[in-house]
Amino acid sequence: ETDFIRMRVESDLTLTLGDKTIKCVCIDLSGIGMCLESPQPLSIGDEAVAYLPSYQDKFSALNACIRINREMKDGDSYYYGAEIIELLG
């Protein structure tokens, strides 16, 4: 589907959507996007700031503006595909 290598990360991710903060899990990460698990529903097209703390010594923390573009429901969990729109400082 994509030429980008997807890395399994499975690390805590903080999503800031307007005035709410949602504790999510980043399942995997690629050069253009990520898959995340959220405890609450999100909407396709939502834009949020995703913060992923440094999860390995060789990777710095990720702070990025993302857009939700896919939804995969699995049992009680919500999984979303998101594209990275902009890397923030």
Side-chain angles (χ1 to χ4, degrees):
E1 186 181 75
T2 62
D3 294 334
F4 286 91
I5 295 169
R6 300 183 82 80
M7 293 185 301
R8 300 268 322 160
V9 180
E10 298 190 19
S11 293
D12 292 339
L13 174 104
T14 304
L15 209 57
T16 305
L17 189 63
D19 56 0
K20 66 182 177 186
T21 301
I22 306 168
K23 294 283 185 200
C24 299
V25 176
C26 179
I27 304 296
D28 64 37
L29 188 61
S30 75
I32 57 167
M34 62 181 65
C35 175
L36 56 94
E37 178 184 358
S38 172
Q40 52 188 271
L42 303 170
S43 300
I44 302 296
D46 275 355
E47 292 190 6
V49 174
Y51 178 72
L52 182 67
S54 177
Y55 56 93
Q56 284 179 17
D57 290 342
K58 62 185 178 204
F59 295 106
S60 57
L62 175 75
N63 197 25
C65 183
I66 64 166
R67 181 184 298 120
I68 305 297
N69 58 12
R70 282 198 332 279
E71 178 181 9
M72 300 82 71
K73 183 93 170 69
D74 182 21
D76 293 331
S77 297
Y78 299 93
Y79 293 91
Y80 296 95
E83 70 175 299
I84 295 173
I85 303 169
E86 182 186 2
L87 292 173
L88 307 171

